[in-house]
Amino acid sequence: MDDLGADVEPGRGRRAVVAMSGGVDSSVTAGVLADAGWEVVGLTMQLTDHGQATPGGRTCCAGQDIHDARRVADRLGVPHYVLDYEGAFRRDVMDRFADSYVRGETPVPCVLCNQTVKFRDLLGAARDLGADVLATGHYVRRRVGPDGAELWRGAEAGKDQSYFLFATTRDQLDRLRFPLGGLDKARTRALAARYGLAVADKAESQDICFVPGGDYARVVERLRPGALEPGDIVDTEGRVLGRHAGIIHYTVGQRRGLAIGGTAEPMYVLRLDPVRHRVVVGPKAALGRTVFTIRAVNWLGAGAAMPAEGVRVRVKIRNTFDPVPATVAPLADDRAAVTLDDPARGISPGQACVFYDDARVLGGGWIERDGHRAA
């Protein structure tokens, strides 16, 4: 590739399966790999008929998206196949998303999707097709270091998607490629135009694919009837300040929509109690925490496991959070303790905590509900 070049190695006739969603990013991924001499095969996952979760709205990897992916494949002259992963997507992403909300958590379904149907099932399909690699349109970089393949943040900070890929394993990284990791969106669209792709100007959806309009509660209620059980809004002493229509409407750090009055200062959601169906609120100062635990830790740093004495890192506790200094120390059962240098607000159970060494991703885990609170 030239000065618009993507991060891709010469194919030398090797086969690459490209996960084609019908969007501009995955379409350009197929184009640059074909340009680099790879034998490209496009695979599109049909994940859900939206009507199963929410009537109307934009479909996920179905309908128009499948049509767009097929048009791109035809334009590039590469074979294209559609795989039905609706059952796996419902079980491993949508159901777990709903169950997490019912438990008083705030889930990240895009991580679950990457962890399961994309980098488990789709990678398996790529192997069955005799492919050497599976390529996606994620804005992250893959580098090879002393211990093998490494995961790095995308070159453009505003498009970096490394937070959503922390659960990618070392074995998966060996077979994955991310050609767009060194590009920004403008360069990606320029390449799409150069290839004559009809999706060059296709708009991006800002919603979770199976939650059109961002109405999480409606989707959870349809997947888990009865989940919207009302309860009390209480302060840290248990005094009732108001009522709510279901804890799935709330997340830690939330201020808007509490509909309570008579307090001396603004109240924020501190935690959710799914057993008693309570929303616990308090002043902004009470949101600060320095210590919490994470589960299902995936380690991508040096060595086979995180050092027993812990490691100094910078962590993101949600995708829009700027990384901050912290120490992460391993615990039993693939868990770890995270100690922030300074208190942070809005540490929400169910979100991912991802750790970095500068631009390199060292791993991450899922924030637990029973983490310790700062004094």
Side-chain angles (χ1 to χ4, degrees):
M1 300 296 293
D2 56 17
D3 62 325
L4 284 178
D7 183 14
V8 57
E9 65 204 78
R12 302 185 186 90
R14 291 183 293 165
R15 178 175 293 177
V17 160
V18 177
M20 298 182 67
S21 67
V24 63
D25 297 329
S26 60
S27 298
V28 170
T29 295
V32 297
L33 285 171
D35 247 3
W38 290 84
E39 178 193 347
V40 172
V41 177
L43 293 185
T44 298
M45 301 178 295
Q46 181 171 323
L47 298 182
T48 179
D49 172 357
H50 227 296
Q52 295 182 12
T54 303
R58 179 183 181 274
T59 57
C60 171
C61 293
Q64 184 61 45
D65 290 333
I66 291 177
H67 175 69
D68 287 344
R70 183 172 292 118
R71 283 200 300 167
V72 168
D74 288 344
R75 172 68 181 177
L76 297 174
V78 303
H80 174 256
Y81 304 97
V82 178
L83 303 181
D84 182 358
Y85 286 162
E86 288 188 30
F89 187 72
R90 170 69 183 252
R91 179 186 66 247
D92 294 329
V93 181
M94 295 175 66
D95 284 348
R96 289 170 66 179
F97 167 88
D99 290 340
S100 185
Y101 261 111
V102 172
R103 290 195 302 268
E105 300 174 343
T106 304
V108 191
C110 293
V111 175
L112 295 176
C113 185
N114 291 328
Q115 188 177 19
T116 56
V117 292
K118 285 185 182 174
F119 294 161
R120 181 196 63 197
D121 300 337
L122 200 58
L123 192 54
R127 293 192 189 97
D128 291 342
L129 287 171
D132 299 279
V133 302
L134 169 67
T136 74
H138 287 103
Y139 286 87
V140 295
R141 290 173 290 175
R142 174 189 178 275
R143 295 180 177 176
V144 178
D147 295 323
E150 302 171 353
L151 184 64
W152 289 63
R153 299 182 68 170
E156 184 188 10
K159 291 298 297 179
D160 169 53
Q161 294 173 300
S162 61
Y163 179 85
F164 301 107
L165 298 183
F166 83 86
T168 307
T169 67
R170 295 177 189 271
D171 287 343
Q172 290 169 342
L173 280 175
D174 285 340
R175 300 287 296 275
L176 290 169
R177 297 295 185 273
F178 309 106
L180 307 188
L183 303 184
D184 57 27
K185 193 70 176 193
R187 290 184 175 184
T188 297
R189 291 198 184 278
L191 283 170
R194 173 180 295 182
Y195 294 138
L197 305 183
V199 298
D201 296 319
K202 185 174 181 178
E204 294 183 271
S205 173
Q206 300 302 313
D207 296 326
I208 294 173
C209 59
F210 61 93
V211 189
D215 192 349
Y216 306 105
R218 187 181 184 191
V219 171
V220 173
E221 187 175 29
R222 291 181 66 87
L223 292 171
R224 295 293 180 268
L228 288 179
E229 185 168 343
D232 292 327
I233 300 175
V234 303
D235 64 15
T236 55
E237 301 299 323
R239 291 186 291 265
V240 176
L241 303 178
R243 294 281 291 174
H244 66 78
I247 64 171
I248 64 175
H249 290 291
Y250 303 90
T251 187
V252 172
Q254 180 176 332
R255 176 185 173 187
R256 295 181 182 274
L258 294 181
I260 56 177
T263 58
E265 56 185 311
M267 293 285 107
Y268 296 78
V269 176
L270 301 182
R271 60 184 179 274
L272 303 174
D273 183 346
V275 176
R276 293 184 287 181
H277 304 286
R278 283 183 164 187
V279 175
V280 182
V281 300
K284 188 175 185 178
L287 277 172
R289 295 173 58 186
T290 55
V291 180
F292 56 95
T293 58
I294 57 177
R295 60 175 177 80
V297 173
N298 182 48
W299 176 248
L300 294 174
M306 188 188 308
E309 67 275 15
V311 61
R312 289 289 296 169
V313 296
R314 299 182 73 86
V315 301
K316 293 182 69 169
I317 57 172
R318 55 186 176 275
N319 183 46
T320 56
F321 188 81
D322 290 332
V324 296
T327 299
V328 181
L331 302 172
D333 302 321
D334 294 324
R335 296 167 63 248
V338 180
T339 304
L340 306 179
D341 287 11
D342 299 298
R345 302 187 183 102
I347 300 175
S348 181
Q351 290 281 292
C353 173
V354 181
F355 16 101
Y356 298 84
D357 177 9
D358 193 15
R360 182 182 174 185
V361 181
L362 298 183
W366 300 97
I367 299 174
E368 296 185 308
R369 292 190 63 249
D370 59 350
H372 301 290
R373 294 189 171 273

